[in-house]
């Protein structure tokens, strides 16, 4: 059975381009020919990598950005998570067992034990490669919708915080990824605030200043609730919609904190 059967045969744009090359090499080292998927970049050879890159570039030229982003699947999101997680987990020059456990446990939570075990095997093979973060992020930026990219960043902060703290190297790496993904500094700060303990976090999560009026707080909450609503990523499958609920609940908690603080 192919190692990527656990993705549910939902891979689309990640079959080509930089991510396809990375996954192809990882599968090659696992001895998976991917015969039922037209050999995902075959055995990871240079020729097959170039073919995959060429296919991705042609697809990018043929379709508008809106059309491409509508095609992001559960499988595309999942392998994008694997690749970017491998980048963050190596940012501080070491791989903590707590971080590895977080990745595996997160996948168990999202996909179940059997599928998570297969994903983690692939993750470890990806982690052994040198990944061009810019190239990978450019592909994700071109092909994935904004709400899904926000969910990726939230997941990456969770990995970095798995050992109890986010190091400067890890934070710098996530910030670099965020810039490549085309996510604004305000969105980045909002997600980052969800992983730190500070009296200002409620304001940062809602993307407002401490001087905001009650009306501005209410307006900000409506905006953020809409931006982070789990329905925004329902096209990625129920498992990822559930994952987005955590971020949405943090927005609600931030608003409730300000309601108590401001007494409105």
């Amino acid at each position: 059975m192919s190692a990527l059967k656990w993705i549910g045969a939902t891979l689309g744009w990640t079959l080509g381009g930089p991510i396809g090359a990375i996954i192809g090499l990882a599968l090659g080292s696992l001895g998976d020919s991917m015969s039922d998927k037209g050999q995902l970049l075959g055995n990871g050879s240079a020729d097959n990598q170039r073919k995959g890159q060429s296919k991705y570039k042609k697809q990018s030229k043929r379709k508008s950005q809106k059309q491409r982003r509508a095609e992001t699947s559960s499988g595309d999101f999942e392998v994008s998570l694997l690749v970017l997680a491998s980048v963050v987990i190596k940012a501080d020059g070491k791989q903590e067992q707590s971080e590895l456990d977080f990745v595996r446990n997160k996948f168990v939570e999202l996909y179940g034990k059997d599928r998570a075990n297969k994903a983690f095997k692939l993750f470890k093979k990806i982690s052994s490669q040198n990944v061009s973060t810019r190239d990978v992020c450019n592909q994700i930026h071109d092909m994935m919708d904004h709400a899904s990219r926000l969910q990726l960043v939230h997941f990456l902060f969770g990995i970095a915080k798995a050992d109890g703290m986010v190091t400067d190297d890890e934070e710098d790496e996530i910030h670099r990824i965020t810039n490549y993904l085309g996510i604004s500094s305000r969105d980045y700060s909002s997600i980052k605030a969800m992983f730190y303990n500070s009296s200002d976090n409620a304001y940062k999560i809602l993307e407002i200043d401490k001087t905001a009026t009650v009306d501005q707080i209410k307006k900000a909450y409506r905006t953020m609730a809409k931006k982070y609503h789990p329905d925004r990523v329902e096209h990625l499958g129920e498992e990822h919609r559930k994952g987005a609920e955590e971020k949405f609940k943090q927005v609600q908690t931030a608003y409730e904190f300000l309601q108590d603080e401001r007494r409105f």
Side-chain angles (χ1 to χ4, degrees):
M1 178 182 290
S2 166
L4 283 187
K5 283 280 180 89
W6 47 268
I7 291 182
T10 59
L11 284 179
W13 52 263
T14 49
L15 284 170
I19 295 177
I22 292 166
I23 300 300
L25 285 170
L27 289 173
S29 65
L30 287 172
D32 192 319
S33 66
M34 280 300 290
S35 59
D36 63 331
K37 269 292 188 181
Q39 295 198 1
L40 177 64
L41 296 185
N43 58 7
S45 68
D47 285 343
N48 282 317
Q49 288 185 35
R50 284 193 291 270
K51 289 177 182 177
Q53 295 274 6
S54 177
K55 177 183 178 182
Y56 162 67
K57 290 177 181 177
K58 288 178 181 178
Q59 289 174 337
S60 296
K61 290 179 180 179
R62 283 199 301 264
K63 300 177 182 178
S64 69
Q65 192 175 75
K66 184 176 181 180
Q67 287 175 314
R68 295 197 305 271
R69 287 180 175 170
E71 296 173 353
T72 298
S73 68
S74 175
D76 293 325
F77 185 83
E78 190 168 345
V79 296
S80 296
L81 274 180
L82 289 173
V83 174
L84 290 184
S86 76
V87 172
V88 172
I89 209 169
K90 294 186 293 186
D92 56 2
K94 56 185 177 180
Q95 290 187 357
E96 297 286 353
Q97 187 59 46
S98 57
E99 294 172 324
L100 293 172
D101 289 343
F102 177 87
V103 174
R104 187 182 181 282
N105 290 338
K106 192 65 176 180
F107 273 75
V108 170
E109 176 187 327
L110 290 172
Y111 311 118
K113 187 175 181 179
D114 182 61
R115 181 170 167 182
N117 286 339
K118 293 182 174 66
F120 196 63
K121 287 181 181 179
L122 189 61
F123 172 77
K124 289 192 288 187
K125 293 297 181 181
I126 293 170
S127 297
S128 67
Q129 299 183 41
N130 291 320
V131 173
S132 172
T133 307
R134 182 191 292 271
D135 289 346
V136 166
C137 289
N138 283 345
Q139 183 179 6
I140 294 171
H141 174 268
D142 287 348
M143 306 299 287
M144 187 180 290
D145 62 281
H146 183 253
S148 300
R149 283 179 279 143
L150 291 176
Q151 186 61 23
L152 280 175
V153 174
H154 188 267
F155 182 85
L156 296 178
F157 264 113
I159 293 172
K161 189 69 179 293
D163 56 358
M165 64 174 292
V166 181
T167 67
D168 290 341
D169 289 334
E170 289 168 334
E171 185 177 329
D172 288 345
E173 190 65 59
I174 296 174
H175 190 242
R176 186 161 66 102
I177 287 171
T178 302
N179 287 334
Y180 290 154
L181 291 178
I183 293 172
S184 72
S185 59
R186 292 179 70 87
D187 282 338
Y188 167 79
S189 296
S190 174
I191 295 174
K192 174 184 171 182
M194 297 177 184
F195 295 90
Y196 290 82
N197 294 320
S198 168
S199 59
D200 295 339
N201 278 359
Y203 293 95
K204 292 177 181 177
I205 290 172
L206 295 181
E207 299 185 1
I208 52 178
D209 298 325
K210 293 189 72 173
T211 58
T213 65
V214 169
D215 285 343
Q216 288 173 329
I217 292 172
K218 291 179 178 179
K219 181 179 179 181
Y221 169 68
R222 290 193 296 270
T223 298
M224 298 305 292
K226 182 178 180 181
K227 181 188 295 186
Y228 287 155
H229 198 283
D231 287 349
R232 298 286 304 269
V233 295
E234 63 180 353
H235 61 287
L236 298 178
E238 184 61 23
E239 62 270 29
H240 294 121
R241 187 184 184 282
K242 288 181 179 178
E245 289 177 358
E246 178 184 348
K247 188 161 76 287
F248 182 67
K249 288 177 181 177
Q250 287 173 303
V251 170
Q252 292 178 308
T253 299
Y255 181 64
E256 290 169 1
F257 173 84
L258 294 182
Q259 282 183 309
D260 291 339
E261 183 179 71
R262 296 289 193 91
R263 298 183 183 280
F264 66 88

